Amino acid sequence: MTSTSTLKTITYDKARELARASDAKVRTDLARRSDLRSEILYFLADDDSPDVRRAIAENEATPDKANKLLVADADEGVRTSLAAKIARLAPNLNADEQNQIRQTTHELLRDLAQDQIAHVRAVLSKALKDVADAPPDVIKRLAVDPGIDVASPVLEFSPVLTDDDLLEIIHTGPAIGGLSSISRRHAVGESVADAIVATSDEDAIGQLISNNSAQIREETLDRLVEQAQDVELW
């Protein structure tokens, strides 16, 4: 992709002309530019070609009004590209932007976390798994997703989830494989470790035992040692 810095300056009238070109490739190339006025980018967000809309979804210069339009786009690839971009930009908002844009960005994340396609939600989960200031409600929603590809990244890595959050998720029952993801977290707390052991999930407990950073009470370990002779995995 050609960077904006290597492109010749384009006038507003020329941009309007290209935005209506019959060739979708011309419109797609235009949609990748970061030096267009917001109204041109918004116009292209409603283009008939998914390639054009995908380019708009990937473009960091795209205004919030256009991003909101793309959240409900019929094309999965467009929404996936949007999810990756919004998750990537969210941690980088400066103080002024946090006051002005943070709420809108979080609204977009919430909408994408509820996307009907699991792949879109999975892309969002992977992008947000290490983000310390990600919206807690978005992370919690992804953590209880019925799809393990969506839930696992945040269950295993997200610093946003507290021990209380994890205990609630364990109690209500995460996606199949979700307990093992929690067991692999760095520095699993004693109360969480106890809750995992109480589920009798052999794989999750095996992951917990092999997690050198997990904090397991001595009495809990003693009980596992007694049971281990009957469980080959342990």
Side-chain angles (χ1 to χ4, degrees):
M1 184 184 301
T2 305
S3 66
T4 303
S5 61
T6 63
L7 296 174
K8 294 182 179 179
T9 302
I10 188 171
T11 65
Y12 177 67
D13 289 340
K14 183 61 176 181
R16 288 185 59 186
E17 177 187 337
L18 294 176
R20 292 176 169 82
S22 58
D23 189 342
K25 184 179 183 307
V26 172
R27 304 196 307 275
T28 301
D29 289 341
L30 181 69
R32 293 192 177 109
R33 298 183 67 116
S34 61
D35 58 346
L36 300 179
R37 291 192 188 178
S38 295
E39 56 263 38
I40 299 294
L41 294 168
Y42 181 75
F43 176 81
L44 291 170
D46 196 34
D47 196 276
D48 291 338
S49 169
D51 289 338
V52 175
R53 302 197 306 276
R54 195 173 301 118
I56 290 294
E58 295 171 352
N59 193 334
E60 295 184 7
T62 296
D64 287 335
K65 184 179 179 181
N67 286 328
K68 290 179 180 179
L69 182 66
L70 295 172
V71 164
D73 196 278
D75 186 87
E76 175 186 339
V78 172
R79 302 196 308 278
T80 300
S81 296
L82 180 66
K85 179 186 71 177
I86 297 300
R88 183 176 69 252
L89 294 178
N92 299 321
L93 300 178
N94 61 41
D96 290 338
E97 288 174 327
Q98 287 178 356
N99 291 331
Q100 300 170 13
I101 304 174
R102 190 178 184 87
Q103 182 176 351
T104 299
T105 300
H106 287 182
E107 288 174 358
L108 290 170
L109 291 174
R110 293 183 189 107
D111 288 341
L112 291 164
Q114 301 177 65
D115 195 277
Q116 61 181 343
I117 302 298
H119 178 62
V120 176
R121 305 194 304 273
V123 167
L124 187 65
S125 180
K126 290 176 183 176
L128 291 176
K129 67 180 184 180
D130 297 315
V131 179
D133 61 349
D137 58 327
V138 173
I139 295 298
K140 290 176 186 177
R141 185 175 188 90
L142 293 170
V144 299
D145 195 281
I148 188 60
D149 288 344
V150 179
S152 183
V154 293
L155 285 176
E156 183 172 350
F157 297 106
S158 179
V160 175
L161 294 173
T162 65
D163 280 1
D164 286 342
D165 293 330
L166 295 170
L167 289 171
E168 181 180 352
I169 292 168
I170 293 169
H171 177 72
T172 57
I176 296 175
L179 287 173
S180 295
S181 298
I182 296 174
S183 293
R184 291 191 294 270
R185 288 178 67 90
H186 177 70
V188 175
E190 290 181 345
S191 60
V192 174
D194 283 346
I196 291 171
V197 171
T199 67
S200 299
D201 185 307
E202 292 185 2
D203 183 70
I205 295 172
Q207 295 284 348
L208 185 68
I209 294 171
S210 65
N211 184 346
N212 292 330
S213 70
Q215 302 167 30
I216 307 176
R217 300 180 203 274
E218 185 174 351
E219 55 267 34
T220 302
L221 274 175
D222 290 341
R223 187 164 69 253
L224 290 174
V225 169
E226 293 176 1
Q227 299 172 357
Q229 59 184 342
D230 299 322
V231 184
E232 183 178 353
L233 176 64
W234 299 353

